[in-house]
Amino acid sequence: MPPIYILRHGETVWNLESRFQGALDSPLTAKGEAQARIQGRIVSRILAETPNLSVYCSPQGRARATWEIARGGYDGPVAFDERLAEVNMGAWQGLTRDEAATRWPTLFSNPGSYLERALTAPEGERYASLLTRVLGVLDDLNGPTLIVTHGVTSSVIRGLCLGLEFDEMTWLDHEQGVVFAIRDGVETVLREA
Protein backbone atom coordinates (compact mmCIF):
# COMPACT_ATOMS: atom_id res chain seq x y z
CA MET A 1 0.00 0.00 0.00
CA PRO A 2 1.44 3.41 -0.91
CA PRO A 3 1.52 6.20 1.68
CA ILE A 4 -2.00 7.54 2.23
CA TYR A 5 -3.09 10.82 3.82
CA ILE A 6 -6.74 11.03 4.88
CA LEU A 7 -8.72 14.15 5.72
CA ARG A 8 -12.20 14.01 7.21
CA HIS A 9 -14.29 17.04 6.25
CA GLY A 10 -14.53 19.90 8.72
CA GLU A 11 -17.36 20.32 11.21
CA THR A 12 -20.77 20.91 9.63
CA VAL A 13 -23.98 22.45 10.92
CA TRP A 14 -25.47 18.95 11.19
CA ASN A 15 -22.41 17.64 13.09
CA LEU A 16 -23.03 20.43 15.60
CA GLU A 17 -26.72 19.45 15.83
CA SER A 18 -25.87 15.71 16.24
CA ARG A 19 -27.79 15.03 13.03
CA PHE A 20 -27.13 12.03 10.78
CA GLN A 21 -25.85 13.27 7.40
CA GLY A 22 -24.97 10.20 5.38
CA ALA A 23 -25.80 10.87 1.72
CA LEU A 24 -27.36 14.25 2.58
CA ASP A 25 -25.31 17.37 3.09
CA SER A 26 -24.87 20.31 5.42
CA PRO A 27 -22.56 23.32 5.13
CA LEU A 28 -19.35 23.71 7.07
CA THR A 29 -19.52 25.81 10.22
CA ALA A 30 -17.00 28.59 10.88
CA LYS A 31 -15.16 26.04 13.04
CA GLY A 32 -15.25 23.54 10.14
CA GLU A 33 -13.71 26.13 7.82
CA ALA A 34 -11.00 26.82 10.41
CA GLN A 35 -10.34 23.06 10.68
CA ALA A 36 -9.95 22.90 6.89
CA ARG A 37 -7.46 25.79 7.00
CA ILE A 38 -5.45 23.86 9.61
CA GLN A 39 -5.57 20.78 7.37
CA GLY A 40 -4.40 23.00 4.52
CA ARG A 41 -1.27 23.97 6.40
CA ILE A 42 -0.60 20.27 7.05
CA VAL A 43 -1.28 19.44 3.39
CA SER A 44 1.26 22.12 2.36
CA ARG A 45 3.92 20.29 4.40
CA ILE A 46 2.91 16.97 2.81
CA LEU A 47 3.09 18.48 -0.70
CA ALA A 48 6.56 19.86 0.00
CA GLU A 49 7.73 16.34 0.88
CA THR A 50 5.61 14.47 -1.71
CA PRO A 51 5.23 16.49 -4.92
CA ASN A 52 3.83 13.52 -6.89
CA LEU A 53 0.76 13.20 -4.66
CA SER A 54 -2.54 12.00 -6.19
CA VAL A 55 -5.72 13.49 -4.74
CA TYR A 56 -9.10 11.78 -4.43
CA CYS A 57 -12.13 13.50 -2.92
CA SER A 58 -15.69 12.57 -2.11
CA PRO A 59 -18.04 14.54 -4.38
CA GLN A 60 -20.30 15.48 -1.45
CA GLY A 61 -20.48 19.19 -0.67
CA ARG A 62 -18.89 19.10 2.78
CA ALA A 63 -15.86 17.16 1.52
CA ARG A 64 -15.49 19.36 -1.56
CA ALA A 65 -15.74 22.52 0.56
CA THR A 66 -13.07 21.16 2.92
CA TRP A 67 -10.77 20.36 0.00
CA GLU A 68 -11.24 23.79 -1.60
CA ILE A 69 -10.03 25.38 1.64
CA ALA A 70 -7.35 22.78 2.45
CA ARG A 71 -5.83 22.51 -1.04
CA GLY A 72 -3.51 25.45 -0.47
CA GLY A 73 -1.12 25.72 -3.40
CA TYR A 74 -2.06 22.37 -4.93
CA ASP A 75 -3.13 22.92 -8.54
CA GLY A 76 -2.96 19.33 -9.81
CA PRO A 77 -5.87 17.10 -10.78
CA VAL A 78 -8.45 15.94 -8.27
CA ALA A 79 -10.52 12.79 -8.78
CA PHE A 80 -14.00 13.34 -7.32
CA ASP A 81 -14.95 9.74 -6.65
CA GLU A 82 -18.44 8.56 -5.60
CA ARG A 83 -16.86 5.57 -3.89
CA LEU A 84 -15.55 7.98 -1.22
CA ALA A 85 -19.02 9.30 -0.34
CA GLU A 86 -20.26 8.83 3.18
CA VAL A 87 -22.24 5.70 3.96
CA ASN A 88 -25.93 6.13 3.17
CA MET A 89 -27.74 6.19 6.52
CA GLY A 90 -31.17 5.51 5.07
CA ALA A 91 -34.12 6.50 7.23
CA TRP A 92 -31.90 8.23 9.78
CA GLN A 93 -30.56 10.86 7.38
CA GLY A 94 -31.56 14.32 8.51
CA LEU A 95 -32.63 13.12 11.98
CA THR A 96 -30.85 13.93 15.21
CA ARG A 97 -29.51 11.01 17.22
CA ASP A 98 -32.28 11.60 19.79
CA GLU A 99 -34.98 11.55 17.09
CA ALA A 100 -33.61 8.30 15.63
CA ALA A 101 -33.33 6.73 19.11
CA THR A 102 -36.97 7.60 19.81
CA ARG A 103 -38.18 6.03 16.54
CA TRP A 104 -35.89 2.95 16.68
CA PRO A 105 -35.20 2.37 20.39
CA THR A 106 -34.06 -1.24 19.97
CA LEU A 107 -31.29 -0.17 17.57
CA PHE A 108 -29.99 2.28 20.17
CA SER A 109 -30.49 0.14 23.29
CA ASN A 110 -27.19 -1.73 22.88
CA PRO A 111 -23.93 0.12 23.31
CA GLY A 112 -21.94 0.42 20.14
CA SER A 113 -19.68 2.75 18.23
CA TYR A 114 -20.81 5.37 15.77
CA LEU A 115 -19.45 3.19 12.96
CA GLU A 116 -21.51 0.17 14.04
CA ARG A 117 -24.62 2.28 14.46
CA ALA A 118 -24.25 4.07 11.11
CA LEU A 119 -24.07 0.74 9.29
CA THR A 120 -27.31 -0.56 10.86
CA ALA A 121 -29.58 2.35 9.90
CA PRO A 122 -32.95 1.20 8.51
CA GLU A 123 -32.85 1.27 4.70
CA GLY A 124 -29.18 2.30 4.87
CA GLU A 125 -25.98 0.98 3.40
CA ARG A 126 -24.29 -1.99 5.02
CA TYR A 127 -20.65 -2.78 5.67
CA ALA A 128 -20.33 -5.17 2.70
CA SER A 129 -21.34 -2.44 0.27
CA LEU A 130 -19.06 0.18 1.84
CA LEU A 131 -16.21 -2.35 1.90
CA THR A 132 -16.62 -3.02 -1.82
CA ARG A 133 -16.53 0.71 -2.59
CA VAL A 134 -13.44 1.54 -0.56
CA LEU A 135 -11.52 -1.57 -1.64
CA GLY A 136 -12.10 -0.42 -5.21
CA VAL A 137 -10.51 2.94 -4.41
CA LEU A 138 -7.57 1.34 -2.60
CA ASP A 139 -7.00 -1.05 -5.51
CA ASP A 140 -6.72 1.95 -7.86
CA LEU A 141 -3.93 3.66 -5.90
CA ASN A 142 -0.46 3.44 -7.40
CA GLY A 143 1.48 6.04 -5.43
CA PRO A 144 1.24 8.47 -2.52
CA THR A 145 -2.37 9.60 -2.24
CA LEU A 146 -4.39 12.16 -0.31
CA ILE A 147 -8.06 11.29 0.28
CA VAL A 148 -10.76 13.71 1.46
CA THR A 149 -13.78 11.87 2.80
CA HIS A 150 -16.11 11.38 5.78
CA GLY A 151 -16.18 9.88 9.27
CA VAL A 152 -17.50 6.36 8.64
CA THR A 153 -15.87 5.99 5.23
CA SER A 154 -12.50 7.19 6.51
CA SER A 155 -12.64 4.80 9.47
CA VAL A 156 -13.09 1.84 7.14
CA ILE A 157 -10.35 3.00 4.75
CA ARG A 158 -7.94 3.53 7.62
CA GLY A 159 -8.88 0.22 9.21
CA LEU A 160 -8.20 -1.65 5.98
CA CYS A 161 -4.85 0.08 5.51
CA LEU A 162 -3.93 -0.82 9.10
CA GLY A 163 -4.96 -4.47 8.66
CA LEU A 164 -7.76 -4.24 11.24
CA GLU A 165 -10.86 -6.41 11.52
CA PHE A 166 -14.22 -4.59 11.52
CA ASP A 167 -14.64 -4.75 15.30
CA GLU A 168 -11.21 -3.12 15.66
CA MET A 169 -12.13 -0.36 13.17
CA THR A 170 -15.13 0.63 15.25
CA TRP A 171 -12.99 2.38 17.82
CA LEU A 172 -10.84 4.43 15.46
CA ASP A 173 -11.11 8.12 16.11
CA HIS A 174 -12.55 10.23 13.30
CA GLU A 175 -11.32 13.62 14.44
CA GLN A 176 -11.75 16.69 12.28
CA GLY A 177 -9.00 19.24 11.57
CA VAL A 178 -6.17 16.70 11.37
CA VAL A 179 -4.62 14.51 8.68
CA PHE A 180 -4.29 10.76 9.23
CA ALA A 181 -1.06 9.56 7.62
CA ILE A 182 -0.67 5.83 6.97
CA ARG A 183 2.66 4.45 5.89
CA ASP A 184 3.78 0.82 6.04
CA GLY A 185 0.73 -0.18 8.09
CA VAL A 186 1.31 2.46 10.79
CA GLU A 187 -0.93 5.48 11.36
CA THR A 188 0.28 8.87 12.53
CA VAL A 189 -2.10 11.73 13.28
CA LEU A 190 -0.65 14.91 11.78
CA ARG A 191 -1.60 18.05 13.66
CA GLU A 192 -0.66 21.65 13.24
CA ALA A 193 2.63 22.33 15.06
Side-chain angles (χ1 to χ4, degrees), residues 52-186:
N52 60 337
L53 196 66
S54 296
V55 178
Y56 286 72
C57 184
S58 162
Q60 289 178 266
R62 59 196 184 270
R64 289 178 82 115
T66 297
W67 173 242
E68 286 306 316
I69 296 168
R71 73 184 299 148
Y74 180 81
D75 61 356
V78 179
F80 292 100
D81 194 324
E82 289 285 340
R83 298 173 298 177
L84 294 171
E86 183 59 300
V87 63
N88 184 317
M89 295 184 195
W92 291 355
Q93 294 179 150
L95 300 179
T96 65
R97 284 178 183 75
D98 289 343
E99 291 167 339
T102 298
R103 293 185 194 180
W104 293 276
T106 57
L107 292 175
F108 284 81
S109 61
N110 295 323
S113 72
Y114 182 74
L115 179 64
E116 291 169 306
R117 191 155 286 139
L119 291 164
T120 61
E123 303 165 28
E125 187 174 7
R126 297 296 181 252
Y127 179 65
S129 171
L130 177 59
L131 181 64
T132 299
R133 288 198 282 126
V134 299
L135 282 173
V137 172
L138 293 175
D139 285 346
D140 288 349
L141 305 184
N142 56 17
T145 304
L146 185 138
I147 295 173
V148 185
T149 188
H150 307 269
V152 173
T153 305
S154 70
S155 292
V156 172
I157 292 170
R158 290 167 48 221
L160 292 170
C161 292
L162 296 171
L164 303 179
E165 297 295 326
F166 178 76
D167 61 332
E168 297 170 305
M169 292 178 200
T170 62
W171 300 109
L172 286 173
D173 185 24
H174 48 267
E175 184 177 354
Q176 293 164 308
V178 300
V179 176
F180 298 97
I182 302 172
R183 182 184 295 265
D184 299 323
V186 176

